Amino acid sequence: MAAITQYATGKRKSAIARAWVTAAAGDIVVNEKPLEKAFPRMTLRNVIQFPFELAGVAGKYSVRATVYGGGPAGQAGALRHAISKALVVMSAAFRSPLKKEGLLTRDSRVKERKKYGQKGARKRFQYSKR
């Protein structure tokens, strides 16, 4: 019997993650690299594995993912979003804890654009009285 594989897309800032979650004990592979090589920082690895721990199925699913755009933090958030969405499709029982923690909602916060006549998005040039 073949293991069931579920596909989902996750986004965060300008990063996009495509994840294939398989119901077979395995590891997480991101861009053809193991998780430890793709995300050297422990905090980012914890962000990615958080949906599994919350659902109580840590180590029971394997993930193959491709991530592009943005930086490491945005990519980790995008991958977490994709994994959460795939887990919900695999089993409706996971929906309640993941939704309560806010993992199924796309974090829409992105960098605000720079405006003309200003130094940045909000910062103005220094005002000179005389």
Side-chain angles (χ1 to χ4, degrees):
M1 186 173 131
I4 300 167
T5 301
Q6 188 58 48
Y7 168 80
T9 305
K11 296 180 180 181
R12 169 82 169 94
K13 293 186 178 180
S14 61
I16 299 171
R18 301 183 311 158
W20 290 266
V21 179
T22 308
D27 52 348
I28 300 173
V29 178
V30 181
N31 293 341
E32 307 294 323
K33 292 184 246 172
L35 184 65
E36 291 74 29
K37 287 265 190 198
F39 293 97
R41 286 177 35 201
M42 188 64 180
T43 54
L44 297 180
R45 290 199 301 262
N46 290 340
V47 164
I48 293 167
Q49 293 170 341
F50 186 59
F52 294 120
E53 294 166 7
L54 203 61
V57 291
K60 294 181 181 174
Y61 289 87
S62 65
V63 179
R64 198 180 92 249
T66 58
V67 186
Y68 60 93
Q75 288 184 352
L79 187 52
R80 178 177 77 172
H81 187 223
I83 290 170
S84 301
K85 285 169 64 175
L87 283 175
V88 167
V89 174
M90 291 182 106
S91 174
F94 299 147
R95 182 172 174 80
S96 177
L98 293 174
K99 180 122 178 100
K100 187 181 283 187
E101 206 60 40
L103 299 183
L104 299 177
T105 307
R106 194 249 199 248
D107 190 353
S108 60
R109 297 176 296 168
V110 293
K111 186 173 180 176
E112 193 174 336
R113 78 171 199 86
K114 181 199 171 294
K115 277 75 166 196
Y116 57 86
Q118 296 178 191
K119 213 170 176 140
R122 302 281 173 100
K123 188 175 170 95
R124 270 79 168 156
F125 289 113
Q126 186 171 347
Y127 173 70
S128 177
K129 195 169 185 177
R130 289 180 186 89

